[in-house]
Amino acid sequence: MNRRKVIVLALVESAVAVGAVGWWLATRRPQPQPGDPRSAGTLWMAQQLAEIADDIDYELPAGYMLNHQRLPWRREQLADSLGTVDEPRKHRLLARELVQCGDPRGALAEFDAAEKSWLERVGHDDPGTAEFLTDLKRWRAITWLRVGELENCVGHHACASCIAPIAAGGQHVEREGSERAFELYRELCEEFPDDVESRWLLNLAAMTLGRWPGEVPERWRLDEAALASTGDCAPWKDVAPALGLAHSTLSGGVCVEDFDGDGWLDVFCTAIGLRDQANLYVARLGEDGALRWIDRTREAGLLGETGGLNCCHADYDNDGDADVLVLRGAWMGDAGRMPNSLLRNRGDGTFEDVTEEAGLWSCFPTQAAQWADLDGDGWLDLVIGNETQPDEDEKACELYLSNRDGTFREVADEAGAAVVGWVKGVAAGDYDDDGRVDLYYSLRNGANVLLHNEAGGDEGLRFVDVTAAAGVAEPEMSFPTWWFDYDNDGRQDLFVAGNGLFTSDSISEIGNLMFGKELSSVPRLYRNEGGGKFRDVAKAAGVDRAVLTMGSNFGDLDNDGWPDFYLGNGAPSYRALLPNRMFRNRGDGTFADVTTAGGFGHLQKGHAIAWGDLDGDGDQDLYLEAGGALAGDAYPTVVFENPGNAHRWITLRFRGVKANRAAVGARVRVDVATPAGPRAIHHVVGTGGSFGSSSLQAELGLGDATAIDSIEVRWPGSGTVSKFAGVAMDRAWLAIEGETTLQPSELKRAKFATSAECCEPTKPPAAGEPQR
């Protein structure tokens, strides 16, 4: 056979092979049926996620993301798998499983069976009896407290539920759970006077019963100063039930953005459960003229998109619509090797999963990602912080550069950004003001990493580790992180939240937190000193107060032009009942803890947090995902309504031309006149912290400004500088790159819907009436 024929046959064989692969790729995807808004890509991802859940759901620790509907099966499976475990411990293990899966009363029966079996088989005099019975008492105590939570804070949910210190509107109407817990914690405090965890939970049980502080013995009583605010704040109120947003969910992520382009901010949220559906709630005016949020998940084509401890949004394809990235597998180690989802907003109210088509398919555990234009080409790139736990194969972080056609290529290794560690947060910001975006990685157990972006000329994208020189490696037990200009000096400062709760199997740090004892990890607030140097000012700024942070984000709670922040606390354990904390920026380099004054001290888990002007009145409201990681720890979402203030404000929206369309990374400076003289307010366009995704529109407080002198926008990547003068306050404007005047932009405004639930707890139904 001559060479020409060989080449022809080779080309034919290649064409057949490519055709076969294409046919296989096409036929392996389920096709949408008539009337189904989902795309083939979304159906395919739904199928993959369902298969992953079937494979690994029941190999995870007790109760961790277990499907409620499979609990009877799980009980039988667990009992069979414990054939070599003695009877008392078998009952105890099953009891722990039941309480963590949401059946506390069933668990209490198993704890009783464990005690009875132990005493019958081993007896009172055995050396291990005291330890075994004490362990049962601790589990019974928190289980009874959990009964109280479920029957009151969930079953008779009110907007005052679980807000510490618990006032009359949040106290329990079904009292058995907390009564029994109170007595058990009294016994534990008598037996173990130094047990700070039991002391705190004793005080908490007393609060739910209206018996705190007076009925807690003085030697165990929590000092009321431990919950006192260090500054003033008008009280905020949880209005989620009236708005249709108090959906009960496990820990997850949230994006607050106008996804359907109607001028109202919508809510996209996820939950960590492997079978938990992601949801889209869109804002709508009712016939009464009040604002509510309606579930449009099915209509948006999102059915089957499940799981995801976090999510973040951006306009990755520059088409003017906000898209969403869902992040999966966090905390699960090798079991968390599952794909993320890139959900493309079609602009017609629907989404499609384009993960594979975009080149983002990979299977690593993560909850951390950031969108930023890293190479300055006007298109957003993506950084994903993957988790490598101890004694596991390395799962390097990923960096995807946009190909400027809706697809990406992975370049982390060649760019020097293939960080390896248990990454829990990623922040992108230009800390040295050189026009290039730098990256910060927050690690769970190890030194954090700051990468300086040194791209330029024909060298391509290149990062250099400057952590040591910058002095920003701590804390070694950290979680969410972000860049922001807390002191309004024009330089990006860095906040890194501490989370030392998991340094041991003990949950004693909960008590240490409340009783002012030393903790293993506290936050860092790194002030940018210029020249690539930072200084930790957390203590001087008053933000080193003990926190165990997960979800968090920053905003401006009082429109004074100084960024404040809200920290969500907690851990998977039911014992991790800690008030989330709000810090108000005083504008003098320090912060006041206004948690109690403002009513922000929610005791449920503080997961994803987002700020946004939901009702269009010029001030930012606050959204909190409050569910936990255990299957039985679902809790309704919280929406704190901003009560308003007398300060001035402006809302800015952006349209990049050479820069990325949404202007992510744009530097905004607003110069205002005030009675005390001129003042500058600085802002960088983005979604805020690394665990919760706020609206991309700039909702800026102007304090006591009497006029805006000028507004400057430095567009990312392109280097274009736009300056605007003669801008009116207390309204919304659109900034378009290259134009010299701002365009008026409608800011829709409406009153929130209201309901009695936002004032008082619902009462138990009368005998024979169905539960709500």
Side-chain angles (χ1 to χ4, degrees), residues 239-250:
V239 296
L243 304 185
L245 287 173
H247 53 281
S248 189
T249 183
L250 295 180

Side-chain angles (χ1 to χ4, degrees), residues 349-426:
T350 67
F351 290 78
E352 60 178 328
D353 192 310
V354 295
T355 310
E356 280 191 296
E357 293 89 333
L360 294 182
W361 183 278
S362 66
C363 292
F364 299 114
T366 183
Q367 68 173 56
Q370 280 286 308
W371 296 95
D373 184 359
L374 299 175
D375 56 0
D377 66 353
W379 291 72
L380 290 176
D381 310 302
L382 177 63
V383 183
I384 300 178
N386 292 321
E387 297 185 0
T388 299
Q389 297 188 22
D391 302 320
E392 289 184 348
D393 293 337
E394 292 185 354
K395 308 174 187 71
C397 296
E398 297 164 279
L399 193 159
Y400 290 93
L401 282 184
S402 173
N403 293 321
R404 293 178 286 183
D405 59 2
T407 68
F408 297 83
R409 63 190 186 280
E410 209 284 313
V411 298
D413 190 54
E414 62 192 77
V419 173
V420 175
W422 198 337
V423 178
K424 299 306 296 179
V426 178

Side-chain angles (χ1 to χ4, degrees), residues 291-465:
L291 191 60
R292 297 175 177 84
W293 275 258
I294 310 299
D295 189 342
R296 286 292 180 266
T297 304
R298 185 187 186 285
E299 293 83 349
L302 292 169
L303 293 182
E305 291 285 348
T306 59
L309 182 57
N310 200 5
C311 55
C312 54
H313 68 282
D315 183 4
Y316 82 92
D317 54 358
N318 279 341
D319 66 353
D321 303 307
D323 314 295
V324 175
L325 178 73
V326 178
L327 299 159
R328 300 187 176 96
W331 296 112
M332 289 190 249
D334 285 331
R337 289 181 176 271
M338 55 186 67
N340 303 315
S341 279
L342 178 60
L343 304 175
R344 178 180 174 272
N345 188 337
R346 291 189 177 114
D348 60 359
T350 67
F351 290 78
E352 60 178 328
D353 192 310
V354 295
T355 310
E356 280 191 296
E357 293 89 333
L360 294 182
W361 183 278
S362 66
C363 292
F364 299 114
T366 183
Q367 68 173 56
Q370 280 286 308
W371 296 95
D373 184 359
L374 299 175
D375 56 0
D377 66 353
W379 291 72
L380 290 176
D381 310 302
L382 177 63
V383 183
I384 300 178
N386 292 321
E387 297 185 0
T388 299
Q389 297 188 22
D391 302 320
E392 289 184 348
D393 293 337
E394 292 185 354
K395 308 174 187 71
C397 296
E398 297 164 279
L399 193 159
Y400 290 93
L401 282 184
S402 173
N403 293 321
R404 293 178 286 183
D405 59 2
T407 68
F408 297 83
R409 63 190 186 280
E410 209 284 313
V411 298
D413 190 54
E414 62 192 77
V419 173
V420 175
W422 198 337
V423 178
K424 299 306 296 179
V426 178
D430 180 8
Y431 73 85
D432 57 353
D433 203 24
D434 65 355
R436 297 188 293 266
V437 180
D438 312 299
L439 300 174
Y440 186 81
Y441 299 78
S442 171
L443 276 64
R444 182 195 179 277
N445 60 343
N448 301 320
V449 178
L450 174 61
L451 298 183
H452 182 250
N453 187 339
E454 300 191 357
D458 298 326
E459 298 178 3
L461 192 63
R462 184 167 62 91
F463 289 89
V464 174
D465 189 334

Side-chain angles (χ1 to χ4, degrees), residues 39-76:
S39 68
T42 303
L43 285 168
W44 167 239
M45 179 62 81
Q47 182 185 76
Q48 302 309 299
L49 294 174
E51 291 178 0
I52 290 170
D54 286 339
D55 288 342
I56 73 169
D57 207 3
Y58 307 112
E59 298 175 6
L60 298 171
Y64 199 63
M65 296 166 290
L66 185 66
N67 189 328
H68 292 274
Q69 297 176 351
R70 298 295 298 276
L71 184 56
W73 176 89
R74 176 59 167 167
R75 180 198 293 262
E76 180 180 347

Side-chain angles (χ1 to χ4, degrees), residues 228-233 482-488 493-496 523-528 535-545 547 553-558 560-567 581-595 611:
S229 290
T230 61
D232 296 327
C233 180
W482 64 73
W483 298 97
F484 72 150
D485 188 358
Y486 83 92
D487 54 1
N488 264 321
D493 310 300
L494 179 65
F495 181 81
V496 193
R524 301 293 191 274
L525 176 60
Y526 289 112
R527 183 178 186 274
N528 191 333
R535 177 167 56 93
D536 179 22
V537 297
K539 185 174 183 178
V543 299
D544 65 331
R545 302 186 69 170
V547 287
N553 218 320
F554 63 91
D556 187 351
L557 66 85
D558 52 4
D560 65 353
W562 299 95
D564 317 296
F565 58 87
Y566 189 56
L567 303 181
R581 291 182 182 267
M582 177 70 82
F583 290 89
R584 178 175 61 79
N585 193 331
R586 291 190 176 104
D588 60 0
T590 68
F591 290 77
D593 184 336
V594 296
T595 301
W611 297 73

Side-chain angles (χ1 to χ4, degrees), residues 211-224:
R211 295 163 60 180
W212 183 84
E215 295 187 41
V216 177
E218 186 175 357
R219 62 189 182 278
W220 305 323
R221 186 182 306 155
L222 178 71
D223 190 335
E224 291 184 68

